[in-house]
Amino acid sequence: MDPLSTLWETFFDLDAMREALPEMLTVGLPNTLILAVSAALLGSVLGLLLAVAGISRSRWLRWPARVYTDVFRGLPAAATILLIGVGLAPLGMRVWGPDPYPLGILALSLIAAAYIGEIFRSGIQSVEAAQLEGARALGFSWSDAMRLVIIPQGVRRVLPAWVNQLIALIKDSSLVYFLGLVASQRELFRIGQDYAATTGNESALLLAGLFYLALTVPLTHVVNGIDRRLRHGRPATAAADEDDDLPLPATVQGDRR
């Protein structure tokens, strides 16, 4: 057969895609989003704690944070998912029963926390030292200055990198199939893989890839927009319009009258 014809029939069979599409929309897409968003939220909370511990003056906080980061960034994602999903399965059986789904979310969260922690740490350390000194001069304690002044600025500066990590989590969610999810818990890649194994045609896997592109490409443009906004600020006209809408102080209003 002609190689191009073979390629077309193997990966671009519209009938095979049409057959897999409903299950990908109703099962695969929601599960992929649940895995990625849940892991991003839990990973952000743990990552922020790691970031604060990583810049702490206490080595009892700093060293464990660095070891955690080195270990989970160094291990392959598939190895971490298997380690958590299989190693903690007996504990999971006692807590929520024979359901590997929470362990998959936990594994992705632990992986994400190592990367997000470094993202937050770099953002926090990029804030000028004068900001902390000024907050302390105003009477803030160190913890209040970090919580109210430094951390919000640092997190804002690394939002593009955080969204990039969310994109990585969307793709890494395909590795959770190692844990043997039940039919209603399958994500996009697993559904495509099952259809490919059943029909002997890889078009469903290509369709799953198109779903991943539909999720990640818009997020990439969101990252670029956020980065551009943070580097260049708001348009001058928009900022001026907002300033015009602000109420004037009483003294200024009196002067105008």
Side-chain angles (χ1 to χ4, degrees):
M1 294 180 65
D2 180 24
L4 290 179
S5 299
T6 303
L7 178 66
W8 183 266
E9 293 177 3
T10 304
F11 289 97
F12 297 92
D13 188 336
L14 297 181
D15 290 333
M17 290 184 180
R18 195 176 299 113
E19 182 182 356
L21 181 60
E23 194 167 8
M24 286 195 177
L25 284 172
T26 58
V27 178
L29 181 60
N31 283 326
T32 295
L33 292 175
I34 289 172
L35 287 168
V37 173
S38 300
L41 294 176
L42 293 175
S44 296
V45 173
L46 182 55
L48 185 57
L49 296 176
L50 287 171
V52 174
I55 60 175
S56 171
R57 297 189 184 97
S58 171
R59 64 175 181 270
W60 301 108
L61 293 176
R62 191 171 61 251
W63 290 357
R66 290 180 178 176
V67 170
Y68 176 97
T69 300
D70 290 340
V71 169
F72 280 94
R73 291 179 70 188
L75 285 174
T80 303
I81 290 172
L82 285 174
L83 180 66
I84 300 298
V86 177
L88 297 182
L91 177 61
M93 286 284 292
R94 290 195 293 268
V95 176
W96 50 69
D99 184 0
Y101 203 76
L103 289 175
I105 293 176
L106 176 61
L108 290 175
S109 301
L110 294 177
I111 296 169
Y115 291 93
I116 293 175
E118 285 298 285
I119 291 172
F120 285 162
R121 183 180 64 82
S122 64
I124 292 170
Q125 290 183 324
S126 72
V127 178
E128 297 78 6
Q131 298 274 355
L132 180 60
E133 295 170 0
R136 296 301 300 275
L138 291 174
F140 286 88
S141 65
W142 184 88
S143 59
D144 287 341
M146 290 294 293
R147 180 172 56 88
L148 300 174
V149 179
I150 304 301
I151 291 178
Q153 292 186 68
V155 170
R156 180 177 178 270
R157 293 181 181 187
V158 296
L159 277 178
W162 184 89
V163 179
N164 276 329
Q165 186 58 38
L166 176 60
I167 292 173
L169 279 172
I170 291 174
K171 294 183 289 185
D172 285 347
S173 66
S174 62
L175 299 174
V176 177
Y177 83 92
F178 286 137
L179 302 183
L181 302 176
V182 299
S184 61
Q185 297 173 332
R186 293 176 300 167
E187 32 66 47
L188 288 168
F189 180 78
R190 182 62 182 178
I191 291 176
Q193 191 179 48
D194 287 347
Y195 272 95
T198 302
T199 62
N201 188 285
E202 309 295 330
S203 299
L205 279 174
L206 178 63
L207 179 61
L210 294 177
F211 269 98
Y212 284 112
L213 285 176
L215 292 172
T216 57
V217 170
L219 282 175
T220 302
H221 290 288
V222 169
V223 169
N224 295 335
I226 293 174
D227 184 55
R228 190 162 48 248
R229 181 74 173 269
L230 292 177
R231 283 190 288 109
H232 301 296
R234 294 174 299 172
T237 55
D241 291 341
E242 290 185 12
D243 291 341
D244 290 341
D245 293 336
L246 293 175
L248 293 173
T251 54
V252 177
Q253 292 179 2
D255 291 342
R256 284 194 173 182
R257 286 196 294 268

